[in-house]
Amino acid sequence: SGLDRAAWRRAWRAAADAPPLSRPERAGLPEYREAIAEHLLRHRGLAVNADPVLATGGTTAVLTEIAVAVLKRGDAVAVEEPGYQRAVGVFRAAGLKVVQAAVDAEGLLPDAVPAGVRAVYCSPAHQYPLGGRMSAGRRVALVERARRDGWLVIEDDYDGELRYDVAPLPSLAALAPDVVVHLGTTSKILTPTLGAGWMVAPEPIATAVLEHRDLTGTSPAAAGQRVVVELARTGDLGRHLRKLRRELSERRALIIDTFADAGIKVLGDDAGAHVVVLLQSAEQERELMSQALERGLRVDGLARHYVNRAKLHGLVIGYSACSREQLVSALPVLTELLSGADRD
């Protein structure tokens, strides 16, 4: 994540100074909910007070809670195709019927959502894995149909803080707080091991989740919340985010320029920390992934992100988990492999 180690140690020391809780804070620590409300206003343009903000253990954890506490077995949930397969797994494990909705370069197609669904799960800030950014008009169309047809829209704000060269678009929750559940996490901006996320939801949804926590005796861990509070209080979180955006923006430019010089087109580079290079066949996708691995590089493919048979084929190339030096070393290898491939 590139977080300053001294800031990280300071935050944990300060978090450890807090006395143990005498009872669980099912909704999350009040100071954490306030810090997240401030973070959402400053970095996502979402104006809320602390009341509708609930702490979560991360996106997958809260999706599990929503699937069990809010939705009912047999309910149909639409997910993006291709999309986040862990969400598919969560919904199916809860006895929900998962149906697919197509995406394009502007994200989820509202008209592709089948009739009769109870909820729609989407990632409008940076569609996973194709990287599309949902247009303003499509955001309005999605929430209007949600109101008309009685959907709950689950907005996974994946990569929401990591955008480049584009102005932020209003989140779905800002457009329609009555029908949208907004989910965020520190896993990409800090570390996936912290277990600190958030949900902003209409009151009945939040109440159902809190009742489920009471029933099951579960609540998100306080330690990670306290670390986030300290990082926010000292300004270290804001400094880290600015540094992270700068670093990833430079890495993104390096990838795009290198590939452009070789005539390789990428998708999904408006935000986040991965790009997609489309290929012409599933066989080629598997072959290039294998060849990359033989050369010491692990890249993802599009196929595993489909529930049904893949309609698009390509490589998903992430650039945040490695060091800058590793990326510089990897690019000539990737360029060589892709230059000899049949691309779309």
Side-chain angles (χ1 to χ4, degrees):
S1 67
L3 181 65
D4 179 71
R5 294 293 296 276
W8 184 243
R9 287 193 296 270
R10 283 196 302 270
W12 275 104
R13 281 198 298 269
D17 283 341
L21 292 174
S22 59
R23 58 180 177 78
E25 290 280 3
R26 298 285 188 230
L29 299 173
E31 59 269 34
Y32 175 76
R33 297 166 70 191
E34 290 169 6
I36 294 303
E38 173 65 24
H39 173 83
L40 289 170
L41 178 62
R42 179 172 298 179
H43 297 284
R44 301 299 296 119
L46 180 57
V48 294
N49 59 33
D51 293 338
V53 177
L54 264 62
T56 73
T59 299
T60 304
V62 73
L63 281 176
T64 303
E65 293 178 316
I66 292 169
V68 174
V70 178
L71 304 174
K72 298 182 177 64
R73 294 185 70 87
D75 279 351
V77 181
V79 298
E80 297 162 325
E81 176 82 331
Y84 185 43
Q85 294 307 297
R86 190 169 288 175
V88 172
V90 164
F91 294 144
R92 285 183 167 168
L96 305 175
K97 179 185 177 185
V98 174
V99 296
Q100 286 72 52
V103 300
D104 65 10
E106 295 184 10
L108 179 77
L109 289 152
D111 291 343
V113 178
V117 304
R118 172 68 184 87
V120 177
Y121 167 85
C122 59
S123 48
H126 194 221
Q127 199 277 329
Y128 184 78
L130 291 181
R133 180 170 173 260
M134 190 179 288
S135 65
R138 194 167 291 185
R139 290 171 192 240
V140 172
L142 179 62
V143 298
E144 284 180 350
R145 190 172 171 206
R147 284 174 171 151
R148 186 176 72 243
D149 293 355
W151 300 342
L152 177 67
V153 177
I154 303 170
E155 176 183 32
D156 183 345
D157 196 39
Y158 175 75
D159 284 342
E161 293 93 350
L162 305 177
R163 60 183 179 274
Y164 316 111
D165 300 340
V166 290
L169 288 168
S171 66
L172 298 178
L175 291 173
D178 52 320
V179 294
V180 175
V181 175
H182 181 91
L183 306 181
T185 178
T186 58
S187 65
K188 287 291 287 286
I189 59 175
L190 292 175
T191 166
T193 64
L194 196 57
W198 53 88
M199 173 177 82
V200 179
E203 191 276 332
I205 307 299
T207 297
V209 168
L210 289 175
E211 287 175 351
H212 174 72
R213 291 178 181 179
D214 285 336
L215 187 66
T216 57
T218 57
S219 56
Q225 295 174 49
R226 286 185 171 136
V227 169
V228 174
V229 168
E230 287 302 319
L231 289 171
R233 184 185 64 79
T234 59
D236 285 328
L237 180 59
R239 282 187 288 274
H240 168 65
L241 270 174
R242 290 190 292 274
K243 177 184 172 186
L244 183 65
R245 285 196 194 105
R246 276 196 309 273
E247 173 64 23
L248 292 180
S249 180
E250 291 171 5
R251 294 186 185 196
R252 163 186 174 265
L254 181 61
I255 290 173
I256 292 171
D257 292 346
T258 302
F259 283 177
D261 288 344
I264 300 168
K265 181 183 176 183
V266 303
L267 301 177
D269 58 306
D270 282 342
H274 77 269
V275 296
V276 176
V277 177
L278 293 182
L279 301 169
Q280 290 189 351
S281 69
E283 293 75 22
Q284 195 163 52
E285 180 182 307
R286 289 193 296 269
E287 183 180 336
L288 285 180
M289 288 174 67
S290 176
Q291 290 176 359
L293 195 57
E294 289 173 2
R295 303 280 291 272
L297 304 179
R298 185 181 297 276
V299 293
D300 196 4
L302 285 178
R304 75 178 183 91
H305 301 286
Y306 283 84
V307 172
N308 299 314
R309 184 176 180 180
K311 293 182 179 178
L312 292 174
H313 315 289
L315 297 186
V316 182
I317 301 167
Y319 53 89
S320 66
C322 58
S323 68
R324 176 84 73 105
E325 292 72 22
Q326 288 171 325
L327 178 62
V328 169
S329 298
L331 278 175
V333 179
L334 289 171
T335 302
E336 177 191 331
L337 293 175
L338 289 167
S339 294
D342 296 322
R343 301 186 305 275
D344 276 1

